């Protein structure tokens, strides 16, 4: 499957419904844009043909783009809600909701959509410790490592004052304190990605 085989959903609008408070933010807009990227449409469609949940292959990219805070329950629910509208726009139908994801992923359950292959029973279980370790490893992109080194305390907690100081140093003056700390970090991270030269974090390990 290639990008040419996937429907162009650039103009597809998201009907946020109960997720309006999340979607009407820079973060919500960025997630929706991420979900509609051609490569991610290919991933969701391929996962469906392989009898897997549509959002499952998106997890590594979501973590690299937004950091581990993207695994917040409310945001994962919105991502699943977005995925359903995208899959329906590509003419797939819901096959099963609440499918347990047994491979390491930020998602524990998600929806699967109808595809030609039959279903297969899988009994493998992933522990919370294994899932957390996978998330931390996947989220450790050069940019996230660079930013976390500047805005997190030694115990891993987020220092919002330092976060806003970094943002200000790159000309970002917006205040997002109406959001929870994790969402503030992701939203500012989105803006920083477009302003920080890759050379400043590409050698971070």
């Amino acid at each position: 499957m290639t990008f040419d085989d996937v429907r162009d959903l650039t103009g597809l609008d998201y009907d946020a419904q109960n997720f309006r408070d999340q979607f009407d933010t820079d973060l919500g807009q960025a997630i929706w844009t991420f979900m509609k990227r051609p490569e991610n449409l290919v991933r969701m469609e391929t996962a469906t043909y392989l009898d897997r949940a549509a959002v499952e292959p998106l997890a590594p990219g979501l973590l690299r783009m937004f950091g581990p805070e993207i695994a917040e329950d409310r945001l994962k629910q919105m991502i699943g809600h977005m995925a359903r509208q995208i899959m329906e726009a590509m003419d797939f139908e819901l096959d099963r909701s609440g499918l347990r994801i047994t491979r390491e992923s930020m998602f524990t359950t998600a929806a699967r959509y109808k595809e030609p292959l039959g279903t297969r029973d899988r009994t493998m279980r992933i522990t919370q410790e294994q899932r957390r370790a996978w998330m931390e490893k996947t989220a450790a992109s050069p940019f996230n490592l660079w930013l976390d080194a500047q805005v997190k305390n030694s115990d891993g907690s987020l220092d919002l004052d330092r976060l806003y100081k970094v943002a200000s140093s790159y000309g970002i003056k917006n205040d997002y304190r109406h959001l929870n700390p994790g969402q503030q970090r992701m939203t500012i991270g989105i803006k920083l990605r477009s302003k920080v030269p890759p050379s400043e974090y590409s050698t971070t390990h």
Side-chain angles (χ1 to χ4, degrees):
M1 187 182 299
T2 67
F3 293 169
D4 293 336
D5 299 321
V6 178
R7 186 171 303 180
D8 181 4
L9 298 185
T10 304
L12 179 66
D13 292 326
Y14 174 50
D15 182 5
Q17 301 175 13
N18 294 333
F19 296 96
R20 177 59 59 187
D21 60 327
Q22 299 283 339
F23 182 59
D24 287 343
T25 64
D26 291 337
L27 175 61
Q29 300 291 316
I31 293 173
W32 181 238
T33 298
F34 174 90
M35 297 283 288
K36 294 191 297 178
R37 287 180 181 175
E39 64 268 28
N40 288 329
L41 300 180
V42 168
R43 290 184 177 105
M44 287 191 280
E45 190 167 348
T46 300
T48 298
Y49 287 130
L50 295 175
D51 197 25
R52 310 222 38 106
V55 298
E56 185 176 349
L58 302 185
L62 285 164
L63 286 162
R64 284 192 295 268
M65 180 71 184
F66 301 106
E69 293 85 1
I70 195 66
E72 179 184 292
D73 286 344
R74 179 75 172 162
L75 291 175
K76 288 193 294 184
Q77 291 167 7
M78 183 177 71
I79 290 167
H81 192 247
M82 289 177 169
R84 180 164 184 170
Q85 293 184 27
I86 288 171
M87 295 302 289
E88 289 176 347
M90 294 195 295
D91 297 325
F92 289 94
E93 297 180 359
L94 180 67
D95 181 42
R96 179 180 172 185
S97 59
L99 178 71
R100 178 176 289 277
I101 295 177
T102 55
R103 298 181 181 180
E104 293 182 6
S105 174
M106 63 179 265
F107 299 102
T108 55
T109 61
R112 181 180 63 203
Y113 296 83
K114 287 187 177 180
E115 42 82 25
L117 299 178
T119 61
R120 293 184 292 274
D121 181 36
R122 297 176 175 86
T123 58
M124 187 177 73
R125 294 292 180 268
I126 298 297
T127 66
Q128 288 295 326
E129 290 74 19
Q130 289 172 318
R131 196 179 302 277
R132 187 178 303 110
W134 177 86
M135 285 175 53
E136 290 173 351
K137 179 179 179 181
T138 306
S141 68
F143 175 82
N144 284 322
L145 288 174
W146 172 84
L147 182 55
D148 285 347
Q150 299 179 77
V151 304
K152 286 193 173 181
N153 299 313
S154 58
D155 62 358
S157 61
L158 179 64
D159 187 322
L160 288 175
D161 289 336
R162 287 161 59 189
L163 176 64
Y164 280 95
K165 184 176 180 180
V166 173
S168 179
S169 69
Y170 287 92
I172 299 170
K173 307 299 183 182
N174 308 66
D175 191 300
Y176 300 102
R177 295 180 193 274
H178 61 287
L179 302 175
N180 69 41
Q183 292 176 7
Q184 291 180 62
R185 187 258 183 236
M186 285 187 287
T187 301
I188 291 175
I190 292 166
K191 291 186 172 296
L192 282 169
R193 279 180 182 273
S194 66
K195 293 180 176 292
V196 180
S199 59
E200 293 193 23
Y201 58 79
S202 59
T203 58
T204 302
H205 297 284

